[in-house]
Amino acid sequence: MLKSLRTKIFFSFMLLVLMLVIAGIMSIIEFNKVGVSIKNVMDDNYKSIEQTKHMLDALEREDSGLLMYLMGNREMGSQTIDMAYSTIQNAIKIAQNNITEKDEDKYINNIIKEYEEFHASVKQTTDTSEKLTLEEKNEIYLQNQQLFFAAKKTINELMQLNQGGVYKQTNTMKENSKRAMMPAIVSIVAAIVFALLLNFFISEYFIRPINRLIDGVKSFYPEKGIINSGIKSNDEIKSLETETNNLIGRLLRLKNQSK
Amino acid sequence: MRISVIAKYLGFVLLFNALLMYISAAISIFLKETSITPLLYSAILCTIVGVFPQIFVEKTEELKPHEGIAISVLGWILTCIVGSIPYFMWGGEFTLTNAIFESTAGYTTTGSTILTNIEMLPKGLLFWRSATHFIGGMGIILFVLLILPNAKAARSSIYRSEVSGLSMLNFQMRMREIVRIIGIVYTSLILVETIILWALGMTFFDAICHSLGTLATGGFSTKNTSIAFYNNIWIEITISFFMLLGGMHFGLIYATITGKKQNLFTSDVVKTYLTIIFIGILFITFKLVNDHVYNWGEAFRHASFQVVSLVTTTGFATVDTSVWPMFTTVVLIYFSIQCAMIGSTTGGLKFDRVYLFFQTFLKQIKQTKHPNAVYVLRMDKTLISSEIELQSMAYIIVYLVILLTSTLALSAMDIDLITSFSGSVATLGTIGPGFGKTIGSMGNFSTLPDAAKYIFSTNMLLGRLEIMNVIVLLVSLTDKNR
């Protein structure tokens, strides 16, 4: 038990400060988690989504390149196919280095498998197209279309996986930001309760004893000898009462001596 | 009433809660869960606010009786409020109302829940749910008494307000000794059950959480489908056995272990209590077989578990009883009203009072027959004073009045009769699940209006606090001459 009023007040305020500081630290930690979630969305999921978009775009261009080639614009078609191939390979590499979701590597392997089949078929078509009739070219192009759609489907699946990840991360961010606010909200309520309690204790242990002392002084008469205000604590106010009584004693003695 | 002294003791209550919050937070930290901040901050907050009154208020030896009651009642209310902070801060399904409901259901060992998916909660928070059962099972105030240093007179005053006169009958010793015995029996049984459940195939975490829920007769499970998840007859038998123990007078359990004369095997109240449970199990088994719900073995297995679970106010489930015939529901509602024995961790009406009620009834018949004869009531060879007799009768009446008032208030919110009545029975008796599709053994309280959840929370507190203390406190507060 603390005896000095000064220490009591000091510790009370220290507790209040401690509570608020901890609430602040907890909020900072939680907001940092929100930041990490945002980073995850931006760096990881969004990066993968961007790469799948590049893949889809390049796949479409490769298909267009094949069509150009078959239509007779061989040089342009060949260039388009090669550029698309290099774009897709690049996007796959980035996606492989950015695995963030469960089984994402399997999805990427599926893309590689389906795309390689499509690209091999495209290459085979361009290599043999010179000898083919228009009907045969049309038939081969339709066959290629099936492989094209299969490759496109796997890329879309990877995109959906990462979009799901974004949704999940957004929900986490929502929860984290709510959680980050909570220490502050709870602290506000706790601080109000704390203030009310502090007010009560100040009134009980400071104001009331002082009032008692005032009443004691007011009702003092020399025959009584001392002031007894009924203060039971062992703090500065009790010391004040004791010292006041000592003073009264000294004054009374002085008065008696002067008589 | 000295508010500062009450605040000092409420501070101890907060500090004890903080201790278990730190343990739950440690689990979350270890598993790197999302509940670290809610649990850790709640623990720190409880510590700070708990320490605060200790700075100002000096040691107090003497407590007035109504101060003891105030500490007991306010201690429980405060505990339920601070216990809801981790839930509220964590969020998810926990709105402020839901958090208070869940916390009250935990501390009062009711075990009702608003969660639709328990398994998605972080382990730290799941442990905190079970820890509230642990605190509530023995009684937060008794825990405080156990750790309170040198405050004999004050301790005695608080103890009298926390433990009913009837439950002191089987304790022939000093107050401090009684609290110590309750603590020893309670924690020992929890440890033994944890080891057995672990050996039977539960994970250690599940085993300890279910043990805390069993001995506290609470009923919070870590699984959405409660004990049905394990579909293991040995786990069911173990839990049933410990639920039965949790529903018995701890003084008698201690007496049995230490070889005292007056023990579980010689107690007439225990014999009658077990006989009635057995008859209830038989009734339900026959009905379930007769209605082709189960075969004999399955019917007896599920009937036994459900009856023991409800009579001991635990509320664990192995099946969905809402699909059972109406007769079985009526029998189970009877057990939900009767509840278990005084001196245990259970809440509600309690069997001893029902027993005493019928004894008094028989005494009155004899008295009418022989007006000049003197009849005395005895429970397990202990003479029952007319004061205790009267207190018990008054308690039963007040209990039933509150039950009907609660049902009426819930019906006014357009909640169907079976939900409002069985919900009131389940919460006032601190059982947990009610009956019907909404709040049945496999249901939850999530879809009910907020006002209904507050009524149920009040019921839980009244059931745990044994009503009379709350009434005495209210009378003390309104009494101008206090």
Side-chain angles (χ1 to χ4, degrees), chain B residues 158-227:
Chain B
I158 303 172
Y159 174 77
R160 277 196 299 275
S161 65
E162 176 72 1
V163 181
S164 72
L166 203 57
S167 63
M168 292 186 208
L169 286 181
N170 284 299
F171 286 117
Q172 309 293 335
M173 49 202 78
R174 286 183 305 125
M175 186 274 303
R176 182 159 177 76
E177 188 67 2
I178 296 172
V179 178
R180 201 179 62 85
I181 287 171
I182 294 175
I184 290 171
V185 171
Y186 186 53
T187 44
S188 309
L189 290 177
I190 286 172
L191 284 175
V192 173
E193 194 194 346
T194 303
I195 293 164
I196 297 174
L197 289 180
W198 192 23
L200 287 171
M202 271 193 193
T203 62
F204 184 72
F205 180 79
D206 283 356
I208 197 155
C209 287
H210 282 98
S211 299
L212 293 173
T214 309
L215 264 310
T217 63
F220 273 158
S221 176
T222 51
K223 303 291 174 202
N224 289 330
T225 48
S226 192
I227 306 302

Side-chain angles (χ1 to χ4, degrees), chain B residues 285-294 324-328:
Chain B
T285 306
F286 281 126
K287 185 65 184 167
L288 290 174
V289 173
N290 191 50
D291 285 21
H292 308 291
V293 182
Y294 301 114
W324 283 10
M326 188 46 85
F327 172 76
T328 61

